Amino acid sequence: MALLHKKVALITGASRSIGRTIALAFAREGADVIMTYHQDAHLCILKLADGTKLELISGPPTRNFLAKSVTYYQTCYEVDDMAAAIEFLQREHRARVISEPKPATLFPNMIAAFLYSPIGIIELLAPK
């Protein structure tokens, strides 16, 4: 049975790049995918006193999912060695790469990779 059988996923920005890659990967794993080409969402990145960064997303897609009690998590980690982090997540947490490392859109001088894992989407950021 596919990993995401009987799951629903909202993928914003699904017409191109990472959004499209994630939507296709989720569909291959059995998810019912709701795709939008226009994100219509707001992003806020908070930096806590201990240096931890929190990325918060809000907007109509988020409200619609919360109203239906549908939740899914994305966790972002900043790492020094992208290849080692990917290998560790694949080995220890059954993660699968859904978007290979490439320049990060929101973070200058960083590369980003996205993995699917049993706990949700994992975004890795590393210096170029």
Side-chain angles (χ1 to χ4, degrees):
M1 183 175 289
L3 283 174
L4 298 177
H5 180 69
K6 294 189 177 182
K7 300 287 184 183
V8 177
L10 168 68
I11 311 296
T12 60
S15 65
R16 60 188 168 86
S17 192
I18 292 170
R20 184 175 193 280
T21 302
I22 291 170
L24 292 171
F26 274 40
R28 278 193 299 273
E29 290 300 326
D32 292 322
V33 178
I34 301 167
M35 299 182 294
T36 66
Y37 66 90
H38 178 63
Q39 291 187 0
D40 195 20
H42 304 282
L43 172 68
C44 176
I45 300 174
L46 303 175
K47 187 172 182 181
L48 304 180
D50 67 358
T52 301
K53 293 179 185 173
L54 298 176
E55 184 177 289
L56 306 174
I57 301 171
S58 67
T62 304
R63 282 193 300 276
N64 292 340
F65 266 97
L66 291 175
K68 295 176 185 175
S69 297
V70 174
T71 58
Y72 202 81
Y73 297 96
Q74 175 182 331
T75 308
C76 183
Y77 295 99
E78 194 168 334
V79 298
D80 293 323
D81 184 338
M82 179 70 74
I86 290 172
E87 190 275 325
F88 171 80
L89 289 167
Q90 288 174 323
R91 183 183 70 245
E92 299 295 325
H93 299 285
R94 300 183 335 226
R96 289 194 256 178
V97 175
I98 56 176
S99 180
E100 296 291 335
K102 58 181 142 187
T105 304
L106 297 175
F107 303 96
N109 301 315
M110 302 288 278
I111 56 172
F114 290 81
L115 296 91
Y116 169 77
S117 78
I119 62 164
I121 299 293
I122 298 173
E123 178 182 5
L124 297 176
L125 293 170
K128 280 188 179 178

